[in-house]
Amino acid sequence: MVSSQQSAVSGQRSAVSDKTNSKLSSLSAQSATHPSPLTPHSSPPMPGTLYLVGTPIGNLEDMTFRAVRILQTVDLIAAEDTRHTGKLLHHFQVGTPQISYHDHNRYSRTTELLERLQQGKSIALVTDAGMPGISDPGYELVKACAEADISVVPIPGPSAAIAALIASGLPCDRFIFEGFLPAKSQARRAHLEVLQTEPRTLIFYEAPHRIRQTLQDLLLLGADRQIVLARELTKRYEEIWRGTVAAAIAHYSSHEPQGEFTVVVAGADATQPVLSEATLKTELQNLLKQGLSRSDASRQLAQQTALPRRQLYQLALSLPEQDER
């Protein structure tokens, strides 16, 4: 009886297999005459070609089949950190030799890699996480290849900026990626002031040790501006926080920032007037000349502009001492 059932099951599997093979053959024939944009293309790397390979930003399962195949078959891998990339290569059983390519050697290494490409070598460029050239090394090498008429092939992969944007709940149709803001507050505030009236969604990267100060500086865009803070994307402790700039400051005053942040900020509302820092300082100076203290001047201007009194008080403290009379 068991043997009879096994034979029946075997026959059913055989029939299913025949049908599957028949369908695959049919699809293959159709692909030959009507190629699909999703048809697998597994040709070996082309000689003298630079491949820009996207790598996971935290979750190894985000590595694509194509990325692994390219890394396995190119002649050389140029890596931002060979030790970090070595762990990735070991996990996917990639034995291709590596060479370092990072911010400190990118100019000299670009010349060397360009020579190898011109000799017919295929090279894959990877960074520690994400896509090469996006807040990571890569631009100079790609520019040099383009000028030398060397083929450059992107192998798409994860991007923290795009992942945070699509999960933010803010408009995704038009946006600006700003990368990392300047490390010094004065330069950062000057940069943000330029973006005050930008109507498109803004995307920034920020380190955990600077996120609190950056949030304070983002008050220049408005305390009620919608903001999304995405940290540790694709990792175990991934978190996406949504609220206003003022609420974000309050949240991270009582929560220790951990992990790399991707900050997504709503664009400016064209119906809301935006006051520049220079304008606010002029208004504060006028109030100080009327005999008000810095604290009282900040409070009065806060009532007039709906800006946080604390932000205005910090501006008042930056004014020359002689302005307070």
Side-chain angles (χ1 to χ4, degrees), residues 37-54:
L38 297 180
T39 300
H41 179 60
S42 300
S43 61
M46 295 178 289
T49 300
L50 175 68
Y51 291 87
L52 308 175
V53 181

Side-chain angles (χ1 to χ4, degrees), residues 12 18 37 43 50 96 110 128 145 175 177 265 278 292-293 313 321:
Q12 291 172 355
D18 290 342
S43 61
L50 175 68
T96 306
T110 291
D128 290 349
C145 287
F175 60 91
F177 174 67
V265 183
L292 295 179
S293 67
Y313 184 65
E321 190 69 30

Side-chain angles (χ1 to χ4, degrees), residues 116-152:
R116 295 198 188 200
L117 287 163
Q118 290 171 332
Q119 293 168 3
K121 299 296 183 182
S122 57
I123 299 176
L125 176 65
V126 299
T127 58
D128 290 349
M131 292 299 298
I134 306 299
S135 291
D136 273 324
Y139 161 71
E140 289 84 1
L141 180 57
V142 173
K143 182 174 183 289
C145 287
E147 292 173 348
D149 201 26
I150 291 173
S151 179
V152 178

